[in-house]
Amino acid sequence: MSTIRTAVAAILMVLAAVSVAAEPKANQLFGAKDVPSRQKSQPIGFYSKGCAAGNVQLPETGPTWQAMRLSRNRNWGQPEMIDFIRDLSAYATTVGWKGLYVGDISQPRGGPMTSGHASHQVGLDADIWMLPATNLRLSRKQRESISSISVRSSDQRRVNGNWTQAHAAILKRAASDPRVDRIFVTPPVKIELCKSARRKDTKWLQKIRPFYGHHYHFHVRLKCPKGARACRTQTPTVKEISNGGNGCDASLNWWVTDMLNPPKVAKPAPPAPKKRSARDYTMADLPQQCSAVLTAR
Ligand SMILES: [Zn+2]
């Protein structure tokens, strides 16, 4: 009897060990979903640790936009994000562009991704290309092969000749939108915007956040929509709200200073690697509601 019990216990232990070892990664599970969940739309969790119920598709082509890299199937977001892109792309036509080329938003059900991005998980993040939209009749194939442009000089200290007043106007418009929480741009763009902004009208600059990369696109992050109770709001750091809140103070100079002192920091150090990245998450790392998002029809 006791030998049977021991044997059963041993088998159970082996099964438990196997199930832990085989715990599927959340990015594989979410990456395998081609369509959104038929649920009420809501962002769940945090931008870099969550998922999205009831995402809607940004149409591949609209009157003032085209979604790029369609093979990735990341032109999905919360309704607030899709509305925002419609609005900002319409505005882009008033400053001489045909509209916007839109990069990744999120997967049909959000969640961690198998490539790129730590965030973009809740359907409230979108990448907008720096390449001005000039042609809104690009084929699927062209949308795979065309590249965006960088607006950063090769020494990384300033914007380059690709930077235009239209870029500045579009970023100001986006940052002034009450739906927007923050916008990530390469530091030279923030420096340039701080230089050219009129003295009295700089509050919107608080939302423009200098960040590594982000010279081929800018990244718009929306606030949790009203009533989205499962969505975790991002709290600003003290540094972000210091000095009147526009972020144009000395805290921005680290970029140029570091670039000018190659012995100290030859290259800006990449952010310290996190112990576990979004690609390591299993379903246990995500909010519980994400399991329902994954299994919903
Ligand atoms: Zn992004």
Side-chain angles (χ1 to χ4, degrees):
M1 194 65 182
S2 79
T3 47
I4 289 172
R5 218 179 280 158
T6 314
V8 167
I11 288 166
L12 285 177
M13 274 171 69
V14 167
L15 284 176
V18 166
S19 81
V20 166
E23 190 86 61
K25 297 277 191 281
N27 63 354
Q28 298 291 344
L29 297 171
F30 278 97
K33 295 292 181 184
D34 300 332
V35 292
S37 65
R38 282 196 222 160
Q39 294 174 295
K40 187 172 170 282
S41 297
Q42 68 161 333
I44 297 167
F46 195 58
Y47 302 93
S48 54
K49 205 180 220 182
C51 60
N55 260 349
V56 295
Q57 188 174 34
L58 176 73
E60 293 175 3
T61 298
T64 51
W65 72 85
Q66 286 207 289
M68 307 300 279
R69 304 288 191 264
L70 296 171
S71 63
R72 299 189 193 178
N73 197 26
R74 291 175 180 174
N75 52 321
W76 300 86
Q78 288 291 295
E80 292 80 5
M81 178 50 96
I82 306 308
D83 286 349
F84 169 80
I85 291 170
R86 287 175 185 273
D87 295 346
L88 188 66
S89 64
Y91 173 76
T93 64
T94 69
V95 294
W97 292 15
K98 284 240 166 92
L100 298 175
Y101 291 147
V102 182
D104 288 358
I105 308 171
S106 79
Q107 301 178 126
R109 301 186 188 205
M113 301 185 190
T114 52
S115 64
H117 319 293
S119 65
H120 290 255
Q121 295 189 30
V122 296
L124 296 175
D125 293 283
D127 290 342
I128 311 286
W129 282 23
M130 294 290 190
L131 177 69
T134 50
N135 176 3
L136 294 182
R137 305 178 73 172
L138 298 174
S139 66
R140 292 184 72 90
K141 213 173 157 191
Q142 286 171 309
R143 296 189 220 191
E144 295 298 324
S145 58
I146 286 177
S147 295
S148 189
I149 50 165
S150 171
V151 295
R152 191 179 72 185
S153 66
S154 49
D155 67 3
Q156 303 191 36
R157 290 189 198 182
R158 51 184 70 85
V159 292
N160 65 16
N162 291 330
W163 176 256
T164 63
Q165 281 314 302
H167 287 93
I170 290 166
L171 280 165
K172 182 177 179 183
R173 175 75 168 208
S176 305
D177 192 307
R179 292 169 289 189
V180 170
D181 182 68
R182 59 192 63 203
I183 299 169
F184 299 116
V185 295
T186 181
V189 163
K190 171 103 191 190
I191 291 166
E192 180 64 23
L193 289 172
C194 288
K195 258 196 281 182
S196 57
R198 272 181 284 142
R199 280 256 175 94
K200 286 199 172 155
D201 181 20
T202 64
K203 228 185 142 197
W204 59 276
L205 281 166
Q206 185 267 338
K207 289 189 190 172
I208 305 278
R209 305 291 167 82
F211 208 71
Y212 297 94
H214 297 88
H215 49 113
Y216 284 91
H217 70 263
F218 59 93
H219 172 140
V220 178
R221 173 166 295 170
L222 301 189
K223 292 173 186 161
C224 289
K226 274 211 180 88
R229 284 163 55 197
C231 178
R232 214 181 99 207
T233 299
Q234 185 165 21
T235 44
T237 65
V238 174
K239 203 168 117 193
E240 284 166 350
I241 55 174
S242 67
N243 196 29
N246 67 17
C248 290
D249 57 358
S251 67
L252 184 58
N253 290 342
W254 61 269
W255 179 262
V256 174
T257 319
D258 288 355
M259 296 311 295
L260 287 171
N261 288 315
K264 212 173 93 193
V265 187
K267 255 178 146 187
K274 286 179 194 138
K275 278 180 194 147
R276 291 179 79 233
S277 80
R279 276 176 227 174
D280 303 316
Y281 293 159
T282 64
M283 291 307 289
D285 292 299
L286 301 179
Q288 224 175 8
Q289 296 109 301
C290 288
S291 299
V293 170
L294 194 65
T295 53
R297 285 174 58 86

